[in-house]
Amino acid sequence: MNILIIGSGGREHSLAWKVAQSPLIDTLYVAPGNGGMGDIAKCVDINSSNHDEVVLFCREKNIEFVLIGPETPLVEGLSDRLIGEEIQTFGPNAAAAILEGSKGFTKDLCAKYNIPTAAYGRFKDAPSAKKFIRIKGAPIVIKADGLAAGKGVIIAETIQEAFEAVDDIFNGQFGAAGTELVIEEFLIGEEVSFFVLTDGKNILPFGTAQDHKRVGEGDIGPNTGGMGAYSPALVMDAAMQKRTINEIILPTVKGMAAEGTPFKGVLFAGLMITDKGPELIEYNVRFGDPECQCLMARLESDIVPILIACANGTINQVEAKWSDKVSLNVVMAANGYPGPYKKNSKIINLEQAGSANNIMIFHAGTKKIGHNILATGGRVLNITSLSNTVTEAKNDAYTALNQINWPEGFYRKDIGWRAVEHENKE
Ligand code: AMP
Ligand code: GLY
């Protein structure tokens, strides 16, 4: 069959890498793809916001299955349109993608179905938001309701900072995403990412990971899309996964179905493991980036039948087999990221760096011009390893990374540090 993947990040490169290994594939297309995908897929320059263009392409190329990577096309209803055209699609429709598209919606769903999450309020004006902050005190978390490319969350250490965040957001810092706010209690604990595939009714747990969102070593500095990750996450042992499924995931899947908006696709729960147990920080309606790169490195099963089962309501009939090894992914980003950065610098020696069997280099913001790979984005490369322990995986990833010659890029040197410390104690 012919498959089309929508997206251009490291997440989509790793998905394409895995899909391309399936014996079921004739031709794999990626729109728009990046500089690293040309060897495994045909990169096509179509605009995923133009649904007519996507449908036309699917008809011309006889595409039987579409895998949508990022949240924006999902929230924009690309899945609705494709399914309406009878093209099988992985990814929720717009009504269900609201789980990521509106933080307020998700909080209300949690309240209605008794799903553990931080206490919260929803606000459309600054005076009532500030009144709530005065009552609750600091630290407190201020969130723009809508999609803000992962930047719409401010953790305010003082009431003054919280007031400023409220004013900034209502003054348009995040555009339309900030016409409404969620303000919530600050949760203390260890953060993990938990992935579950669901066909709207049944679920298939699909791995755990821990990512590093802050730009600086020791997890300090501004938030980014993610500077690295490892999988599986140590704190998500079998018992914690079971609790999370029973207390958070299943009530969500049932709740969404009961609301008339069943969720089909990958449910990515951002969790805080607190003293009380797992609490939901947020849902994403797509795979995590860079968590997905770690999951794909560990997935042994053919992913294509699994994705198809998820889309056509038979997820209870498939299994996912995982490597017992640990995967770890280090992001190389352009100097300046998550702020402004320069484009079009040259990256040298990628082939040599990625030559070991257990190393996969997934591209994100790159383009290929002739034989040269140029950096074009904030997050640019994902150096991913598969090894016996987190310590080994970390060493292997950095050994590969150190062979890359790209002075205009930087990376964190401490990815996986919590798990490495834990292993050293054993
Ligand atoms: P989000 O975009 O909702 O994932 O938030 C970005 C980051 O802010 C999360 O990954 C957490 O590290 C942090 N965060 C969000 N909400 C809370 C909360 N209620 N308590 C503590 N940290 C939070
Ligand atoms: N790495 C976190 C995310 O994809 O949102």
Side-chain angles (χ1 to χ4, degrees), residues 11 71 100 149-150 191 193 195 210-213 224-229 268 282 284 286-292 379:
R11 168 181 52 212
E71 62 278 15
E100 179 163 356
E191 213 177 320
S193 305
F195 298 88
Q210 202 161 34
D211 86 337
H212 296 269
K213 288 203 170 68
T224 69
M227 294 301 293
F268 162 6
E282 62 158 2
N284 297 303
R286 37 119 189 134
F287 284 107
D289 187 341
E291 291 96 323
C292 185
R379 290 191 294 169

Side-chain angles (χ1 to χ4, degrees), residues 220-260:
I220 55 167
N223 257 327
T224 69
M227 294 301 293
Y230 77 95
S231 168
L234 288 181
V235 284
M236 285 302 275
D237 58 14
M240 193 60 79
Q241 286 193 44
K242 198 168 166 203
R243 268 193 79 175
T244 305
I245 288 170
N246 289 333
E247 295 172 23
I248 297 179
I249 304 295
L250 288 175
T252 301
V253 171
K254 285 184 190 149
M256 289 298 281
E259 297 294 315

Side-chain angles (χ1 to χ4, degrees), residues 12 93 148 170 223-224 345 351 382 400 403:
E12 287 79 20
N93 61 18
F170 280 132
N223 257 327
T224 69
S345 53
E351 219 160 291
N382 299 263
Q403 296 174 59

Side-chain angles (χ1 to χ4, degrees), residues 355-401:
S355 60
N357 278 338
N358 69 330
I359 297 293
M360 288 126 297
I361 298 184
F362 298 119
H363 291 221
T366 69
K367 71 177 173 194
K368 193 169 185 180
I369 304 286
H371 292 294
N372 292 326
I373 296 290
L374 304 183
T376 57
R379 290 191 294 169
V380 171
L381 294 169
N382 299 263
I383 293 68
T384 310
S385 60
L386 183 68
S387 313
N388 291 316
T389 63
V390 188
T391 309
E392 265 182 53
K394 184 177 172 195
N395 290 340
D396 292 348
Y398 285 106
T399 301
L401 188 151

Side-chain angles (χ1 to χ4, degrees), residues 196-219:
V196 171
L197 298 183
T198 171
D199 57 12
K201 205 171 157 197
N202 296 298
I203 66 161
L204 177 68
F206 211 62
T208 66
Q210 202 161 34
D211 86 337
H212 296 269
K213 288 203 170 68
R214 305 297 192 97
V215 74
E217 277 151 28
D219 295 318

